[in-house]
Amino acid sequence: MGQIEEMLGTSAAIRTVFSVIHKVAKTDLPVLVTGETGTGKELTAQAIHDRSLRKRGAFVPINCGAIPETLLESELFGHERGAFTGAVQQKKGRLEAASGGTVFLDEVGELLLSLQVKLLRFLQKGTCERVGSQETLHVDARVIAATNLDLKESIDKNLFREDLYYRLGVLHIHLPPLRDRGEDTLLMAMSFLKQAAASQRKSIRGYTSEALNAIRTYPWPGNVRELSNRIRRAVVMAEGPEITPHDLDLTGEALCGTDSLDSLRAAHRRIEVELIVKAMSLHQGNLTRVARELQVSRTTLYRKLRAYNLGDHLSFTEGGCSVAPAN
Ligand SMILES: Nc1ncnc2c1ncn2[C@@H]1O[C@H](COP(=O)(O)OP(=O)(O)OP(=O)(O)O)[C@@H](O)[C@H]1O
Ligand SMILES: [Mg+2]
């Protein structure tokens, strides 16, 4: 199934995610999005909302781990005037604010057990009460939750309710870490470089071969966010026309590489994308020269650019400039 335009990637792992996003967007069931930090959980939640029948409603995020416990209940469910010291007027909760739309419960694993009970009831019945009120409200908000914790482990430690886990996780999307997305890392590296060079108005045409190697072998513990941040920093630091490992602050010990095995097909894709990206970078997007270097016809090169969706991420001209600064 189709691409998710705001999310980059052509690896088999991410294409599976895209197809699930399209499917779950059509329903009103809760979705649980899991994955390491920086893998795109919030982006995924927003992508689901934007493709759902609720897209004209609000997308209301709330970070359950970043709000003090004492305030979280009133943030989620709202409160009546006088419900507690400081509650000088009635306030709607985020669930109510998301009525007709989607509430995104980020870091749901951090929710206190007492609030987990209330959330479970909301998921079962669509009802809740504001803090300090007896009145039962019916709220039509779809719930998408995210966590980077292992909720099964939290259940074993009695920190997370098993019944809530099964309610939330009827539909589950797991975002693979960047290191398991093969050629996507290079693809994103090219796309982020293009954006960063344009926004910082620097004329940078690509990466050195060592930098591409470093990007490929570094395990990216902070995933897509780390990749994007390092590239933005590198563009600021770069003194030459090409980004070096030093600009990326990826030198020496950081590069341990992975020794997991790829399937032959995945390895083939990865190597092709890598060579095309390298050659495009080296020849500044000049297709004739890239085709000559890779010893394929221009038609074959075009076909591969299309097949790997690279055309959208690498700009090319006859004169050739793979990463153009903004005017
Ligand atoms: N597939 C993707 N294509 C392009 N950009 C992406 C992709 N995935 C993530 N990003 C970008 O990476 C950054 C991190 O994404 P996001 O905030 O959705 O991750 P997260 O999983 O919610 O992270 P955290 O666990 O730290 O909250 C954002 O700037 C987002 O736009
Ligand atoms: Mg997040």
Side-chain angles (χ1 to χ4, degrees):
M1 238 196 274
Q3 185 76 16
I4 300 289
E5 294 72 25
E6 59 276 38
M7 294 178 80
L8 301 170
T10 64
S11 63
I14 203 70
R15 276 185 289 132
T16 306
V17 169
F18 293 163
S19 117
V20 179
I21 291 177
H22 282 290
K23 285 182 191 157
V24 307
K26 295 201 186 91
T27 81
D28 251 353
L29 289 167
V31 185
L32 180 64
V33 187
T34 57
E36 289 179 11
T37 181
T39 45
K41 296 185 291 298
E42 182 150 4
L43 200 59
T44 299
Q46 179 85 58
I48 294 169
H49 171 77
D50 291 345
R51 285 161 182 75
S52 73
L53 290 172
R54 297 171 169 270
K55 65 182 173 215
R56 281 184 232 296
F59 176 80
V60 182
I62 174 165
N63 188 327
C64 305
I67 296 176
E69 290 166 6
T70 46
L71 286 182
L72 190 56
E73 181 173 3
S74 113
E75 276 298 316
L76 267 174
F77 300 106
H79 63 246
E80 288 301 323
R81 184 171 166 209
F84 49 85
T85 323
V88 288
Q89 54 189 11
Q90 186 199 62
K91 191 179 162 231
K92 275 191 187 176
R94 305 267 178 110
L95 280 180
E96 259 185 283
S99 206
T102 306
V103 64
F104 174 53
L105 303 177
D106 206 357
E107 297 190 32
V108 74
E110 305 286 336
L111 213 54
L112 283 185
L113 284 164
S114 59
L115 290 184
Q116 290 179 27
V117 178
K118 296 189 175 177
L119 176 61
L120 180 63
R121 212 193 79 196
F122 174 73
L123 289 169
Q124 286 168 334
K125 303 199 168 134
T127 59
C128 59
E129 280 100 33
R130 296 194 187 119
V131 178
S133 163
Q134 309 294 323
E135 190 196 344
T136 298
L137 302 171
H138 289 262
V139 176
D140 170 34
R142 185 199 195 168
V143 174
I144 302 183
T147 182
N148 54 23
L149 296 177
D150 179 351
L151 287 184
K152 291 248 171 72
E153 207 172 276
S154 307
I155 293 170
D156 289 342
K157 292 185 191 152
N158 291 322
L159 294 173
F160 204 82
R161 292 181 64 109
E162 194 168 13
D163 46 8
L164 178 58
Y165 173 76
Y166 287 113
R167 263 285 157 171
L168 277 178
V170 178
L171 302 172
H172 180 193
I173 299 184
H174 181 71
L175 292 169
L178 188 57
R179 62 186 167 279
D180 291 346
R181 296 192 209 171
E183 71 270 17
D184 289 356
T185 311
L186 282 181
L187 200 86
M188 288 186 193
M190 289 312 292
S191 177
F192 292 159
L193 178 58
K194 202 160 107 181
Q195 286 165 23
S199 79
Q200 293 176 38
R201 292 163 190 269
K202 281 187 83 166
S203 178
I204 292 174
R205 63 168 182 246
Y207 295 95
T208 63
S209 179
E210 295 76 25
L212 286 174
N213 252 338
I215 291 171
R216 204 172 47 74
T217 52
Y218 180 65
W220 299 106
N223 295 291
V224 185
R225 181 179 298 110
E226 183 183 6
L227 178 68
S228 146
N229 286 345
R230 277 191 194 263
I231 291 170
R232 256 182 288 159
R233 176 186 174 282
V235 168
V236 174
M237 302 310 285
E239 288 172 0
E242 288 180 330
I243 301 287
T244 66
H246 183 73
D247 298 331
L248 289 161
D249 202 13
L250 286 182
T251 46
E253 72 289 354
L255 308 175
C256 54
T258 51
D259 37 16
S260 64
L261 283 174
D262 260 348
S263 71
L264 267 184
R265 210 168 135 195
H268 184 103
R269 284 175 65 91
R270 187 171 46 72
I271 291 166
E272 274 200 350
V273 170
E274 194 179 321
L275 287 174
I276 294 172
V277 168
K278 269 188 192 166
M280 292 286 279
S281 191
L282 187 70
H283 294 294
Q284 299 162 48
N286 183 314
L287 290 188
T288 308
R289 281 201 248 146
V290 170
R292 196 180 308 136
E293 170 99 30
L294 298 176
Q295 299 181 19
V296 292
S297 67
R298 279 178 55 112
T299 321
T300 304
L301 180 60
Y302 265 130
R303 191 164 46 75
K304 294 208 180 281
L305 286 170
R306 257 205 315 275
Y308 292 128
N309 231 339
L310 284 167
D312 296 343
H313 308 307
L314 309 174
S315 54
F316 45 82
T317 60
E318 289 313 306
C321 180
S322 53
V323 182
N327 298 315

